[in-house]
Amino acid sequence: MTDPITAAGCGHDAPAMPLADALERIHAALTPITGTRRLALRSALGQVLAQPITAPEPVPAHDNSAMDGYALRSSDVGNGPLRRVGSAFAGHPFDGTVGPGECVRIMTGGVVPAGADAVVMQERIEAEGEQITVNDRPEPGQNIRRAGEDLRAGDIILDQGRRLTAADLGVVASMGRAELAVMRPLRVAFFSTGDELRSLGEALGPGDIYDSNRYSLYGMLTNLGVELLDLGVVRDDEAALQAALEQAARDADVILTSGGVSVGEADYMAHLLRRHGEAHFWSIAMKPGRPLTFGRFDSAWYFGLPGNPVSVMATFTQVVTPALRQLAGERIPAPRRFRVACHSTLRKKPGRQEFQRGRLLTTADGTLAVESVGRQGSGVLRSMSEADCFIILPADCGDVAAGDTVVVEPFAGPLV
Ligand code: AMP
Ligand code: MG
């Protein structure tokens, strides 16, 4: 990367870079971690798979019944009553063969006995003692779940680089597998910068505010399954910043800071990063979240986020999240975005790509739409709390009228 590093002001006057360009540059710079570890299946939830998972055996292992009913030979039906010769319950197969004119009582999940080629549900038969009368002829294969219908032996079931979901745990368990190789978790150190910031439990002096960024960052980082190192609040002081960065770089793969991007404060950071690694100060054409620093401090990657609480969350989701996922060895799917009608009027000046906060809603006719959560200032953190999606407005667009179509990106939810 060849960004000129400007001195005072750190590029605040430089033309703003489109977000997509910044993402491309960061993507090109990063190399994923390589360490792996073996984990018990449950502990692997939310972790990144280090090897592809192949099914050793078909699942299910045998043809089995999808219904409670009778296993029979479909060609027998219509030739008079069948004789019940046994039963096949889940976990208790019938070990004989169904011969001509015979049938076997079978329950859901029971192994389809040899000779039978269909299952008729119990509601479709008349039973008199061992005599079973079936009126409608079943198709061969009817109500039978085939061996390998879920997983075929030898198929790659889960790709390397996949972040394991609840469904994945179930799929792996269905193969009888108790352990998985996953990437070691990424270690992320983070701190807030600012002389005005107080930690929870401290009293506020005049002009002080509570440090909220460390809490929203804690939440978002935890959702990504990384290991956290919370270094608290660091004063706007070069020596204090240096000490915090050195500790962070010793113990973590990635350092995240928020605040300290205004002229003056940013000079310390520029100085420290240049002495200890590399620094790229960008003004990103996104709102909220204009200033962003990316680089290295000693052996750790460094992301310097803006101070405003909404900017922190917007830049974290759009810039830091894909970077951390890439570093963690994850294969990252494209963001989930789609177009819906916007039920609110949105104010916007052409110039920057905006990430306004919205709430998805279902209209009376069942279609999805979005509405604004209201005030959109970069200090109005409540807007993030009330929202469940970003409304993404392109740089060149202006005000949006109610009824116009907009692009939305739902916030990531829990893994199913
Ligand atoms: P800065 O980039 O340091 O100039 O910060 C920009 C704005 O964000 C200022 O109003 C700061 O007080 C506010 N801010 C910075 N850090 C935090 C934080 N950790 N929690 C809440 N607000 C913050
Ligand atoms: Mg500050």
Side-chain angles (χ1 to χ4, degrees), residues 63-67 70-75 112 115-120 137-147 149:
D63 289 359
N64 67 89
S65 178
M67 295 283 173
Y70 291 82
L72 44 75
R73 303 157 73 101
S74 55
S75 56
V112 175
D117 70 350
V119 170
V120 173
R137 175 182 285 219
E139 295 293 325
Q142 187 168 306
N143 295 325
I144 292 178
R145 301 192 287 220
R146 292 292 178 200
E149 173 180 286

Side-chain angles (χ1 to χ4, degrees), residues 330-342:
E330 186 177 354
R331 284 202 205 160
I332 313 169
R336 233 162 22 110
R337 294 180 177 174
F338 45 87
R339 305 180 75 84
V340 294
C342 183

Side-chain angles (χ1 to χ4, degrees), residues 192-193 196-197 209-213 258-262 265 306-309:
S192 298
T193 68
E196 76 284 25
L197 300 179
I209 58 169
Y210 285 116
D211 170 13
S212 59
N213 288 344
S258 71
V261 288
S262 53
E265 292 175 2
N308 278 310

Side-chain angles (χ1 to χ4, degrees), residues 335-355:
R336 233 162 22 110
R337 294 180 177 174
F338 45 87
R339 305 180 75 84
V340 294
C342 183
H343 284 196
S344 315
T345 304
L346 307 178
R347 314 268 318 149
K348 176 171 183 312
K349 289 202 208 85
R352 289 193 270 168
Q353 184 183 22
E354 287 198 14
F355 292 81

Side-chain angles (χ1 to χ4, degrees), residues 107-302:
M107 304 306 272
T108 304
V111 175
V112 175
D117 70 350
V119 170
V120 173
M121 65 198 280
Q122 62 194 14
E123 291 80 356
R124 299 277 161 80
I125 64 101
E126 285 156 35
E128 242 186 84
E130 305 297 287
Q131 297 275 89
I132 306 298
T133 306
V134 181
N135 299 318
D136 303 330
R137 175 182 285 219
E139 295 293 325
Q142 187 168 306
N143 295 325
I144 292 178
R145 301 192 287 220
R146 292 292 178 200
E149 173 180 286
D150 190 358
L151 312 178
R152 281 190 323 189
D155 279 0
I156 291 181
I157 307 302
L158 299 172
D159 288 322
Q160 177 180 352
R162 181 180 171 86
R163 194 174 286 274
L164 290 157
T165 65
D168 296 342
L169 296 196
V171 168
V172 174
S174 77
M175 299 181 215
R177 197 167 163 154
E179 275 192 351
L180 291 175
V182 297
M183 303 304 296
R184 74 160 171 86
L186 206 59
R187 284 188 291 271
V188 180
F190 63 114
F191 57 88
S192 298
T193 68
D195 291 343
E196 76 284 25
L197 300 179
R198 294 288 161 267
S199 293
L200 303 187
E202 291 178 6
L204 292 185
D208 290 350
I209 58 169
Y210 285 116
D211 170 13
S212 59
N213 288 344
R214 235 162 9 100
Y215 291 83
S216 51
L217 283 173
Y218 165 87
M220 293 186 292
L221 287 165
T222 301
N223 289 342
L224 285 176
V226 302
E227 256 174 38
L228 298 181
L229 181 64
D230 180 350
L231 297 178
V233 174
V234 176
R235 283 172 292 117
D236 290 314
D237 165 275
E238 190 161 342
L241 288 169
Q242 175 163 353
L245 289 168
E246 282 174 353
Q247 185 192 343
R250 260 196 314 273
D251 296 334
D253 304 298
V254 180
I255 307 169
L256 287 184
T257 63
S258 71
V261 288
S262 53
V263 179
E265 292 175 2
D267 295 346
Y268 303 138
M269 203 52 102
H271 192 210
L272 288 169
L273 289 176
R274 265 180 305 192
R275 262 208 332 248
H276 283 263
E278 54 177 334
H280 306 277
F281 294 91
W282 294 326
S283 176
I284 308 266
M286 76 180 271
K287 183 180 174 184
R290 197 194 300 255
L292 181 87
T293 306
F294 168 64
R296 289 185 77 86
F297 186 94
D298 293 341
S299 59
W301 298 103
Y302 173 78

